[in-house]
Amino acid sequence: MSNEHQRLKVVDAFDLDDELRALLRPGEMVRDAQGRRHRLPRYFYEIATHDDAMSLPLTPHFGMNEFILVDLKEAQRLQTFPRYIPCAVRVLAFYLEQFRAAAGASVHVQVNGGYRSPAHKLSLDATPHMWGTAADVYRIGTNILKTKESIERYNDVAEDLSEDVTVLPYGHVTGKNADDHVHIDLGYITVIPREISEDRMEMPQENRPRFAFEDRRRRERRAAVQAGSTESE
């Protein structure tokens, strides 16, 4: 194993602080757009610094930094280091490497096109982006993907890789189509790293606030509402 791979620290998200757990929601069940339930990932790579993100290769042509690029749509706490990304991102990087070889050119993941936490403003329903197993590719080589012809061409390349890969057809309906990128989707894959022992069975509680952080936020909102009601009287 290379030194770079040894530097990847695996964490059980149940061991993170209350705020991070409330944002990452490890092990919780969420519904996709079709109403199917999926359990959010529990095991993450911890990326300590920006320099680490830039220097950690997952495959010969894809580094960790490409999958954690986000803008202000992501929760503020998750924009700062250390950063956390589900361990299944390695599977995504492997398929993108195969896609790059089949396309015959470099492949560029757009901002917000890799991992999105459950707290991300685009995470309305469960999508594989929340598992680290989907990527939105906006450019291949010098070709910016904005035309029906180019998107359908590379959709075909992606689907030819494996039956595990799905794409969004060209179109203009958000969540169902794509008109400015190729969406490469591996589904809801959860990776349990070999260094993890699964004898710890901690799971989220149903139908009640999971974390003290959430309790505090709810108390603050209730207090603000009560204060507003008092002022209006």
Side-chain angles (χ1 to χ4, degrees):
M1 181 180 290
S2 70
N3 291 334
E4 289 82 359
H5 291 174
Q6 290 176 355
R7 290 167 57 195
L8 279 174
K9 178 183 177 182
V10 174
V11 298
D12 182 340
F14 281 123
D15 293 330
L16 298 175
D17 65 61
D18 288 348
E19 184 175 8
L20 282 170
R21 283 183 288 158
L23 295 169
L24 298 174
R25 296 161 53 190
E28 286 193 25
M29 299 292 286
V30 291
R31 294 184 185 275
D32 62 22
Q34 289 74 42
R36 297 170 298 206
R37 288 160 58 88
H38 308 277
R39 194 175 297 282
L40 286 166
R42 173 174 175 173
Y43 302 108
F44 291 75
Y45 290 127
E46 182 179 270
I47 314 302
T49 67
H50 178 264
D51 287 343
D52 284 347
M54 295 295 293
S55 63
L56 287 169
L58 294 173
T59 67
H61 296 101
F62 291 92
M64 187 68 77
N65 63 298
E66 296 174 82
F67 301 102
I68 61 174
L69 291 173
V70 294
D71 60 19
L72 296 180
K73 296 182 180 69
E74 185 58 273
Q76 185 175 1
R77 175 70 187 275
L78 298 179
Q79 297 178 45
T80 59
F81 288 91
R83 298 279 297 277
Y84 298 90
I85 186 166
C87 294
V89 70
R90 278 199 178 280
V91 183
L92 176 63
F94 171 82
Y95 275 96
L96 286 177
E97 189 72 28
Q98 311 313 307
F99 179 67
R100 184 185 191 278
S106 57
V107 169
H108 303 267
V109 178
Q110 67 186 32
V111 174
N112 292 324
Y115 174 60
R116 302 174 193 159
S117 80
H120 195 285
K121 290 182 180 178
L122 295 179
S123 298
L124 302 179
D125 298 304
T127 75
H129 285 287
M130 296 157 66
W131 277 252
T133 50
D136 295 334
V137 174
Y138 80 99
R139 178 162 64 90
I140 297 176
T142 59
N143 186 10
I144 296 177
L145 304 177
K146 287 189 174 181
T147 67
K148 183 175 185 291
E149 179 184 13
S150 63
I151 290 173
E152 288 184 342
R153 172 189 171 192
Y154 288 111
N155 274 352
D156 289 342
V157 172
E159 288 185 312
D160 284 344
L161 293 176
S162 169
E163 291 185 359
D164 296 326
V165 177
T166 61
V167 298
L168 291 179
Y170 178 83
H172 309 291
V173 179
T174 301
K176 295 184 178 180
N177 307 119
D179 59 8
D180 62 357
H181 65 273
V182 167
H183 174 82
I184 296 179
D185 183 333
L186 302 178
Y188 302 90
I189 300 173
T190 299
V191 167
I192 301 171
R194 60 172 55 89
E195 51 267 66
I196 294 296
S197 173
E198 292 187 79
D199 53 359
R200 178 181 173 187
M201 297 301 293
E202 182 176 358
M203 296 301 293
Q205 301 175 48
E206 299 287 341
N207 302 320
R208 59 180 295 185
R210 171 67 178 91
F211 306 115
F213 173 77
E214 291 176 314
D215 284 326
R216 176 169 59 80
R217 284 288 176 86
R218 291 190 179 194
R219 289 196 300 270
E220 290 173 353
R221 286 197 293 269
R222 285 197 296 268
V225 170
Q226 292 172 356
S229 298
T230 302
E231 292 175 359
S232 64
E233 292 177 356

